Amino acid sequence: MFSMSLPTLADVARAVGVSRTTVSNAYNRPDQLSKQLRDRILAAAEDLGYPGPDPVARGLRRGRTGVVGLVYDEPLSYMFTDPAAVLFVTGLATVFDDAGTSLALLPRLRVDDPDAGVLAEAAVDGLVSFCEASDDERIAAFVARRLPFVTVDGGSTRAACRVGIDDRGGTRAATRHLITLGHRRLAVAAFPRHHHEGRPGRPERGALRPARLGGIRDAVEDAGLPWDSVVVESADEEGTRREAGRRVGGRILDRSPRPTAVVAMSDELAAGVIDAARDRAISVPDELSVVGFDDTPTAASTAPALTTVHQPLVAKGETAARLLLDGAPDAVVELPVELVVRESTAPPP
Amino acid sequence: MFSMSLPTLADVARAVGVSRTTVSNAYNRPDQLSKQLRDRILAAAEDLGYPGPDPVARGLRRGRTGVVGLVYDEPLSYMFTDPAAVLFVTGLATVFDDAGTSLALLPRLRVDDPDAGVLAEAAVDGLVSFCEASDDERIAAFVARRLPFVTVDGGSTRAACRVGIDDRGGTRAATRHLITLGHRRLAVAAFPRHHHEGRPGRPERGALRPARLGGIRDAVEDAGLPWDSVVVESADEEGTRREAGRRVGGRILDRSPRPTAVVAMSDELAAGVIDAARDRAISVPDELSVVGFDDTPTAASTAPALTTVHQPLVAKGETAARLLLDGAPDAVVELPVELVVRESTAPPP
DNA sequence: TGGCGACTCTGTATCGATTCAGAGCACGAG
DNA sequence: CTCGTGCTCTGAATCGATACAGAGTCGCCA
């Protein structure tokens, strides 16, 4: 009545009186045997309750599993919550979906897992890394497996295959826009700093996305302004990014002299800054200009609508997915960005 | 210089001059060999470029892969876009993340894939099905593999292990609320109908989530009102759910006599209905009452704030994940719902 | 009649690891 | 001196399938 273990292909072969190869062919190469025999095999399989070739065994023999992994190094909820991440993953998932490939959300890299066991143990055909390059060393554990690997937005990564955007040019353009409008007291609402507390030999690194900060600095220095006149405040990781932005915005706006313009590293942060301004009855853009980055739906829905740097997030996901599927080993793709001027920027008061 | 294929555990064993078992133990059971030998083995592995035990081979031998699958039967983008889905998946992913398990987003079940090959071929330890029960037959292909399997919100499913909510009670309470307020001309903004065009022998089924419709009917009939006085409009699948809701709302509001209250099957649809009302300068709640379902963040952010049926979405995800991890084969969990009255409902004009 | 190709089907090696029972050895207790 | 015990390490079997080379049969054509 109740068999401990599932029948295998060999059981079916025995039942029908054919070789294992033939049963395998019945599933994988219908043209290699007569329709008649095939039907007999399939019927026997049905009888025995054989669920078809085991995916893992097949994966071992074939050398591919039909799964690609995604590593993400921020609080997991952001992947579903942060509009930029959502758009990116949507692009990614759509292409994989069409290709019949599964997308495995790998567990976060853990501070207490310096060997990146998770990456070494993931049964995948390839990997998309959607996190800061600071994890290069851990990701090496994966690269050693010689599987296709695409890094997305990996600032300083040396990975062979990557897709990214012109972060630096983006914030540079945004900052120049503000300076051109006449702003001189600038502030930056930056991403949180990365935490490596638990990792020996890994000093605290700078803020996330140094290239975006670099672009701001470029524009500031291009204009002959002193970089240290720029206030840089980093977000924390409590709650949503927007909430964090509101706190950062608060810290920026409570300084004196109060900055007249804020460059935020993402639209969520920018929206939070606008929230903070509203909290303080500071008018945007009359008393404060704010620029964002990403051009997610958030940017169009803030009041006032956000001036921001557009990046093709869905396309970025699609590109990454396609690179992985095509197995292009050494492609380096940089997608363009574009400043979109809306209503959140104006000359300073 | 360049070897065609990666070294295997056997190569390492040969290099060090020990048995394969010992190398395996070096990775999996450090206490089974002397620290000294272990270090020697690990060093040799490093030298040879051996990336550690192959996950697929290990999976085959061990019988588990560390991956669970998620099937979703709506346009994939909804998983990241629809707030209710987002909350659910967040709960799911959080628990798996903590457990060190990967969550594989399986490709959508395809109309042209009646054998559910995707499900039969997924190399997973278990499956969460987040789709309508109408796919029972296809999911049977998975169940045959005797792996843990949890159905979420699977209306009419007969699956052994499921978690859901009291859909029927929820819409019933919401509808009763409207009727108590005095509404008599009710309309329903329903989910899209399922499409089975391509599948022989599968007639078009009713709308998604019949239980929610059933609850509405319950309340209507409890009140002694004729069911066929209730207008039921189904959404389509173009664009976002909210956009679809706006179109459905338009169709409802353009009828005459115009209904005075709308029961929407989700907050997104409800928000869309409110959008449609605004398009037509119909005041909510003065001229039109709207109730939603889910109590996602959307509900609090519409203007006016939405009266809705709260369901514990994150908890639903967590519960499903935990059931799967615990391998509870026959649990049936029904989470409670609760009517939350806000500002979108009032007596009819 | 011989030869060739098409069609079916088979046997064995292989994918890369883990498991399990047990062998060899050293050491302390009795 | 012997036995039991603990520590290391080994060998063979096994997980469940697919690849590859080839064997047998049959019909067709020269």
Side-chain angles (χ1 to χ4, degrees):
Chain A
M1 293 296 97
F2 180 90
S3 74
M4 281 319 289
S5 58
L6 250 45
T8 72
L9 177 147
D11 297 320
V12 177
R14 200 173 313 123
V16 182
V18 296
S19 73
R20 299 206 308 277
T21 302
T22 301
V23 178
S24 176
N25 284 336
Y27 284 94
N28 301 309
R29 314 196 184 169
D31 57 314
Q32 292 298 297
L33 35 54
S34 63
K35 174 162 173 24
Q36 180 184 347
L37 177 57
R38 175 160 193 262
D39 289 345
R40 202 145 58 84
I41 291 175
L42 263 27
E46 176 91 48
D47 270 10
L48 293 174
Y50 175 67
D54 179 277
V56 180
R58 163 181 288 171
L60 173 59
R61 181 66 243 222
R62 294 229 257 234
R64 20 167 272 101
T65 62
V67 181
V68 303
L70 173 64
V71 247
Y72 186 60
D73 201 23
E74 305 214 37
L76 186 61
S77 59
Y78 284 14
M79 187 173 323
F80 301 101
T81 288
D82 184 77
V86 164
L87 289 173
F88 169 74
V89 179
T90 300
L92 205 58
T94 304
V95 173
F96 286 132
D97 192 38
D98 289 345
T101 299
S102 300
L103 177 65
L105 309 181
L106 303 183
R108 250 187 117 176
L109 296 173
R110 286 166 197 293
V111 170
D112 58 2
D113 180 19
D115 305 325
V118 167
L119 292 190
E121 291 175 19
V124 297
D125 294 336
L127 191 74
V128 177
S129 157
F130 189 45
C131 45
E132 281 300 305
S134 51
D135 280 289
D136 260 0
E137 302 142 39
R138 298 157 93 181
I139 281 176
F142 183 86
V143 173
R145 283 171 55 194
R146 307 237 194 105
L147 291 174
F149 173 61
V150 178
T151 296
V152 177
D153 288 345
S156 61
T157 191
R158 294 172 310 280
C161 187
R162 45 202 146 105
V163 12
I165 57 168
D166 183 8
D167 278 304
R168 190 158 193 145
T171 49
R172 182 174 180 165
T175 309
R176 188 167 43 213
H177 167 67
L178 292 172
I179 294 175
T180 303
L181 285 171
H183 292 277
R184 289 300 175 269
R185 292 205 305 278
L186 301 176
V188 178
F191 282 127
R193 297 170 172 286
H194 235 150
H195 42 279
H196 293 295
E197 313 87 7
R199 311 210 47 215
R202 294 289 301 280
E204 171 83 16
R205 294 271 192 108
L208 245 38
R209 294 204 173 268
R212 289 197 187 168
L213 197 59
I216 298 170
R217 183 164 187 166
D218 287 348
V220 167
E221 295 183 340
D222 285 352
L225 301 176
W227 171 238
D228 59 11
S229 70
V230 177
V231 172
V232 178
E233 287 279 357
S234 294
D236 53 66
E237 297 204 324
E238 296 299 306
T240 65
R241 276 266 192 272
R242 183 165 183 164
E243 289 161 5
R246 186 180 202 146
R247 289 188 295 272
V248 171
R251 268 177 276 139
I252 289 173
L253 296 178
D254 290 343
R255 298 178 78 112
S256 71
R258 190 213 292 156
T260 62
V262 178
V263 182
M265 287 207 186
S266 76
D267 288 349
E268 292 304 296
L269 289 174
V273 171
I274 291 178
D275 292 338
R278 188 174 16 249
D279 292 343
R280 290 163 178 73
I282 298 171
S283 159
V284 177
D286 298 334
E287 300 171 82
L288 179 74
S289 287
V290 180
V291 301
F293 202 112
D294 290 339
D295 196 21
T296 61
T298 303
S301 70
T302 56
L306 206 52
T307 292
T308 190
V309 178
H310 174 86
Q311 66 158 314
L313 282 159
V314 174
K316 193 162 74 175
E318 291 169 345
T319 304
R322 218 123 32 199
L323 281 177
L324 209 61
L325 289 175
D326 297 351
D330 281 17
V332 175
V333 177
E334 178 162 290
L335 268 18
V337 299
E338 184 187 3
L339 181 67
V340 179
V341 178
R342 294 208 182 87
E343 298 146 23
S344 65
T345 48
Chain B
M1 291 294 97
F2 180 87
S3 72
M4 281 320 291
S5 58
L6 251 46
T8 71
L9 178 146
D11 297 318
V12 177
R14 201 172 312 121
V16 182
V18 296
S19 74
R20 300 206 309 276
T21 302
T22 302
V23 178
S24 177
N25 283 337
Y27 284 94
N28 301 309
R29 312 196 186 170
D31 57 313
Q32 293 297 297
L33 35 55
S34 62
K35 173 163 171 26
Q36 180 185 348
L37 177 58
R38 174 158 194 262
D39 289 345
R40 204 146 57 86
I41 290 175
L42 261 28
E46 177 91 49
D47 270 9
L48 294 174
Y50 175 66
D54 179 278
V56 180
R58 164 181 285 171
L60 173 59
R61 181 65 240 221
R62 294 229 256 236
R64 19 167 274 102
T65 62
V67 180
V68 304
L70 173 63
V71 250
Y72 186 61
D73 202 22
E74 306 215 35
L76 186 61
S77 60
Y78 284 15
M79 185 167 337
F80 300 101
T81 286
D82 184 76
V86 165
L87 288 173
F88 168 74
V89 179
T90 300
L92 204 58
T94 303
V95 172
F96 287 132
D97 192 38
D98 288 346
T101 299
S102 300
L103 177 64
L105 310 181
L106 303 184
R108 247 187 120 177
L109 297 173
R110 287 166 196 292
V111 170
D112 58 3
D113 179 21
D115 303 326
V118 167
L119 291 190
E121 290 175 19
V124 297
D125 293 337
L127 192 74
V128 177
S129 156
F130 189 45
C131 46
E132 281 301 305
S134 50
D135 281 288
D136 260 0
E137 301 142 39
R138 297 156 93 181
I139 281 176
F142 183 87
V143 172
R145 284 170 55 196
R146 306 237 195 108
L147 290 173
F149 173 62
V150 179
T151 296
V152 177
D153 288 345
S156 61
T157 191
R158 295 172 309 281
C161 186
R162 46 200 145 105
V163 12
I165 57 169
D166 183 7
D167 279 304
R168 190 158 192 143
T171 48
R172 182 173 178 165
T175 308
R176 187 166 45 212
H177 167 67
L178 292 172
I179 293 175
T180 304
L181 284 171
H183 292 276
R184 289 299 175 270
R185 292 204 306 277
L186 300 177
V188 178
F191 282 126
R193 296 171 174 285
H194 236 152
H195 41 280
H196 294 296
E197 313 86 7
R199 309 212 48 215
R202 295 287 302 279
E204 173 84 15
R205 295 270 192 107
L208 245 38
R209 293 205 174 269
R212 290 197 188 167
L213 198 58
I216 298 168
R217 182 164 187 165
D218 286 349
V220 167
E221 295 183 340
D222 285 352
L225 301 175
W227 171 238
D228 58 13
S229 71
V230 176
V231 172
V232 178
E233 288 280 356
S234 294
D236 53 68
E237 297 204 325
E238 296 300 306
T240 65
R241 275 267 193 269
R242 182 162 182 167
E243 289 160 6
R246 186 178 201 148
R247 289 188 294 273
V248 170
R251 267 177 276 139
I252 290 172
L253 296 177
D254 290 343
R255 297 178 77 113
S256 74
R258 189 212 294 157
T260 62
V262 178
V263 181
M265 286 205 185
S266 76
D267 288 349
E268 292 304 296
L269 288 174
V273 170
I274 290 178
D275 292 338
R278 188 173 16 248
D279 293 343
R280 291 164 179 70
I282 297 170
S283 160
V284 177
D286 298 334
E287 301 171 82
L288 179 73
S289 286
V290 179
V291 301
F293 202 111
D294 290 339
D295 196 20
T296 61
T298 303
S301 70
T302 56
L306 206 52
T307 292
T308 190
V309 178
H310 173 86
Q311 65 158 315
L313 282 159
V314 174
K316 195 162 72 175
E318 290 170 346
T319 303
R322 216 123 34 200
L323 281 177
L324 208 60
L325 289 174
D326 296 351
D330 281 18
V332 176
V333 177
E334 178 162 293
L335 268 18
V337 298
E338 185 188 2
L339 182 67
V340 178
V341 178
R342 295 208 180 88
E343 298 145 25
S344 65
T345 47

